[in-house]
């Protein structure tokens, strides 16, 4: 009998932020193929006999590794296994989950998608930043900011982003922040717009740095920000001054 593949979102970092269903999938899996950003704590819930396969994506080797992952999912499910494909955050937010679903569909293998909490919302929340707010923001966009103009792969609609969206969460963007901030300002966003950078969001090593659009690139260099990190642009960043909680949290019962 054919097995089944579960494309599961592991949540943003804090292992408690996985869904009940996601955790159930981990507990029942024969094979767990997990990504680099998945909190390894979660794997302790796997059955002793479960096979754990690390699918870390090294930059520059994307194509090949993704192919291998597809082959693994199809092979194991064809052999009747219950396979969990565990991805950081949500599997359909910059997670290539849809590509894997398409491969499974084509191979006639049953699958389910188990959503997860995406980093852009969760890391912001742990930094005391609501992505929408009655007084500050009525729209929110999730954007990948790794496109470089000089490489010809910056396809973002900067005019619309700068003027039409209140809060923008930039994923995969730390190395490209000078270009991003410059484009937003050049297309009309106020250079004094608040920006937050959240490093290792929702983990015990979370660090949040705030600045203004015109100075954020320098701050990121000075502070030697490491990945994974997210950039939140918008007035909602100022709400942090009033409601930040995570970094100040005393030892409390969780
Ligand atoms: N599917 C994931 C995103 C994968 S893309 C999700 O839904 O969250 C990888 C990018 O996500 C990183 O470059 C970083 O910008 C962001 N990211 C993931 N985990 C993060 C974390 N714990 N803190 C800050 N940013 C994170």
């Amino acid at each position: 009998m054919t097995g089944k593949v579960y494309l599961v979102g592991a949540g943003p970092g804090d292992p408690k932020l996985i869904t009940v269903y996601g955790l159930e999938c981990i507990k029942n899996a024969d094979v767990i193929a997990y990504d680099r950003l998945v909190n390894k704590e979660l794997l302790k819930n796997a059955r002793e006999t479960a096979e754990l396969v690390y699918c870390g994506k090294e930059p520059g080797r994307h194509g090949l590794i993704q192919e291998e992952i597809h082959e693994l999912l199809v092979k194991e499910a064809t052999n009747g296994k219950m396979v969990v494909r565990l991805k950081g955050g949500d599997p359909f937010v910059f997670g290539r989950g849809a590509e894997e679903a398409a491969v499974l569909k084509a191979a006639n293998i049953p699958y389910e998608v188990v959503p997860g909490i995406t980093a852009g919302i969760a890391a912001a929340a742990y930094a005391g930043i609501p992505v929408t707010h009655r007084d500050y923001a009525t729209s929110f966009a999730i954007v990948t900011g790794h496109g470089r103009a000089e490489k010809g792969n910056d396809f973002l609609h900067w005019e619309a982003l700068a003027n039409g969206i209140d809060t923008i969460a930039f994923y995969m963007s730390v190395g490209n922040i000078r270009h991003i901030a410059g484009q937003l300002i050049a297309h009309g966003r106020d250079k004094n717009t608040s920006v937050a950078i959240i490093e290792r969001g929702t983990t015990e090593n979370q660090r949040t740095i705030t600045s203004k659009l015109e100075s954020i690139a320098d701050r990121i260099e000075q502070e030697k920000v490491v990945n994974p990190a997210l950039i939140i642009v918008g007035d909602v960043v100022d709400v942090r001054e009033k409601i930040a909680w995570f970094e100040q949290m005393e030892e409390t019962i969780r």
Side-chain angles (χ1 to χ4, degrees), residues 12 37 88-90 93-95 118-119 123 170-172 198-201 227-230:
L37 286 175
D90 182 275
V93 177
F94 305 132
T118 193
F170 285 101
Y171 290 55
M172 298 175 277
I198 308 158
E199 186 187 76
R200 299 171 171 149
N227 272 310
L230 256 160

Side-chain angles (χ1 to χ4, degrees), residues 93-94 118-121 124 130-132 137-145 156-158 160-171 173 184 189 230-234 236:
V93 177
F94 305 132
T118 193
I121 295 175
V131 293
T132 71
T138 51
S139 56
F140 167 55
I142 289 178
V143 174
T144 169
L156 293 178
H157 191 338
W158 288 109
L161 281 177
N163 303 295
I165 310 285
D166 295 328
T167 306
I168 313 172
F170 285 101
Y171 290 55
S173 296
L184 288 175
R189 194 72 162 225
L230 256 160
I231 298 160
I232 306 279
V233 176
V236 287

Side-chain angles (χ1 to χ4, degrees), residues 17-93:
L17 291 181
I18 192 169
T19 62
V20 173
Y21 194 25
L23 185 59
E24 204 174 282
C25 290
I26 290 177
K27 286 180 176 165
N28 293 327
D30 299 311
V31 179
I32 302 177
Y34 64 100
D35 274 355
R36 186 170 53 91
L37 286 175
V38 167
N39 191 318
K40 309 297 173 289
E41 280 291 309
L42 286 168
L43 301 174
K44 292 183 182 164
N45 297 290
R47 298 194 337 218
E48 242 172 62
T49 51
E51 190 190 336
L52 308 179
V53 185
Y54 178 65
C55 301
K57 293 182 183 165
E58 314 305 335
R61 283 200 63 207
H62 265 194
L64 184 65
I65 287 188
Q66 191 64 35
E67 284 278 296
E68 289 167 358
I69 294 168
H70 294 166
E71 282 166 23
L72 174 87
L73 300 180
V74 170
K75 185 187 82 188
E76 297 290 356
T78 305
N79 289 335
K81 298 286 170 56
M82 192 284 201
V83 183
V84 167
R85 175 72 179 105
L86 194 60
K87 295 163 175 290
D90 182 275
F92 278 5
V93 177

